[in-house]
Amino acid sequence: MSDRPFSPRKPKFQRSSGRPGRREGQPRRVFGDPDVIVLYGWHPVVEALRNGKRAFRRLLATENSARRLEEELGSPLPLEPEIVRPDEINRLVEPDAVHQGLYLEADPLPSPTPATLSGERVVLALDQITDPHNVGAIVRTAAAFGVEAIITTARHSPAATGVLAKSASGGLEHVPFMIVGNLADTLIALGKEGFQRIGLDSSGDVALDEIPLQQPVVLVLGSEGKGLRQRTRDCCDAIGRLDMPGAIKSLNVSNAAAISLFAVTKALAAK
């Protein structure tokens, strides 16, 4: 979504002073800092500003985007934006990123634990899925299906920021991440909390829709290419597969997540 033109009027916001795109003492980029989440683009930033659980640090916006925010969210905004030119945001994001004139730095959201999950909604666990576009698409789908939380590992998983956040299109504000050191240990802990652990793999023992489901459920998705690691499989109560009638028998992991979430949530709702 690109900036829309507006009729000329004096902006309510003041353009930031000093060196373009930066303030004294502030780094040019914050990607990789676990204490700072970077969000850019219309949907990720708007959904974050609507989220009362977010703590904000810095908001940059072009004049048009700042006016659009005010129209969408009302005045005053939760955080006063620094008015900048588009190229000043370009310097802060990945090359070719579509920021739509909005850039936000915020604190991470609170993370649940196995003991604090309600078990009333499906939980997703991602076994070393590394592509931020795929994870972002999964987050967006998870938000659509009301997933309670997404479990990822601290290593071999993309951070919930930047490209992932943009691909999630605001979904990060509705599905919290649980970042763990060891996925297998977490699945064992969830089993002790009564969770049924269902792995998804193209070589699964049984079709996903033939597995008798019971709440609470955690659905475990394997990485692109390698699938579920052996220890992860060993910690699952069942390994399901998606049976497809066409010539192609394997799907991108984000597509597989959408189909499996549809099947699991529909089956649980029918109980």
Side-chain angles (χ1 to χ4, degrees):
M1 187 182 298
S2 60
D3 292 347
R4 296 185 311 209
F6 287 82
S7 58
R9 65 182 176 90
K10 184 177 180 181
K12 294 183 178 182
F13 313 102
Q14 297 299 314
R15 184 178 298 279
S16 60
S17 59
R19 187 176 177 180
R22 299 180 67 185
R23 285 180 172 178
E24 286 299 323
Q26 287 186 321
R28 180 170 178 174
R29 288 175 181 260
V30 294
F31 293 108
D33 185 341
D35 296 324
V36 182
I37 299 300
V38 171
L39 306 170
Y40 56 78
W42 180 256
H43 292 294
V45 171
V46 169
E47 288 300 306
L49 292 174
R50 284 186 171 130
N51 188 353
K53 296 179 181 180
R54 277 284 188 196
F56 307 118
R57 297 186 177 210
R58 185 186 186 200
L59 173 62
L60 274 61
T62 61
E63 291 184 5
N64 280 352
S65 292
R67 292 184 184 120
R68 288 184 62 200
L69 281 179
E70 188 179 61
E71 288 183 349
E72 181 74 20
L73 301 176
S75 181
L77 293 170
L79 177 67
E80 183 176 355
E82 303 169 39
I83 302 304
V84 298
R85 294 183 296 273
D87 65 306
E88 295 172 35
I89 300 178
N90 290 341
R91 299 189 183 102
L92 297 171
V93 299
E94 302 94 341
D96 302 320
V98 183
H99 55 72
Q100 299 167 289
L102 292 173
Y103 171 94
L104 177 67
E105 293 175 10
D107 290 350
L109 289 170
S111 178
T113 67
T116 60
L117 291 170
S118 71
E120 297 174 357
R121 295 178 287 155
V122 175
V123 173
L124 273 183
L126 309 184
D127 188 12
Q128 295 192 348
I129 300 176
T130 58
D131 187 325
H133 294 93
N134 278 338
V135 177
I138 290 170
V139 172
R140 185 173 184 178
T141 298
F145 282 99
V147 166
E148 183 170 5
I150 294 177
I151 303 170
T152 65
T153 53
R155 297 179 61 195
H156 306 295
S157 298
T161 187
V163 172
L164 189 158
K166 176 63 173 172
S167 298
S169 193
L172 283 178
E173 309 308 315
H174 305 286
V175 187
F177 270 47
M178 182 193 304
I179 301 173
V180 301
N182 187 290
L183 180 58
D185 289 348
T186 302
L187 291 175
I188 292 171
L190 288 173
K192 293 178 180 179
E193 295 290 335
F195 276 79
Q196 183 184 23
R197 299 155 299 181
I198 306 297
L200 187 69
D201 196 280
S202 58
S203 61
D205 305 318
V206 63
L208 181 62
D209 58 3
E210 294 177 0
I211 298 175
L213 297 176
Q214 59 184 36
Q215 285 181 306
V217 172
V218 54
L219 183 63
V220 190
L221 304 176
S223 65
E224 310 96 334
K226 294 183 179 180
L228 297 173
R229 291 176 293 167
Q230 186 59 49
R231 184 151 189 251
T232 303
R233 294 175 70 99
D234 293 342
C235 293
C236 291
D237 300 302
I239 304 295
R241 65 177 185 270
L242 295 175
D243 286 339
M244 291 162 288
I248 302 297
K249 300 301 181 183
S250 62
L251 294 172
N252 175 280
V253 66
S254 62
N255 293 330
I259 294 172
S260 57
L261 277 174
F262 174 80
V264 168
T265 54
K266 183 177 180 180
L268 291 173
K271 289 185 173 294

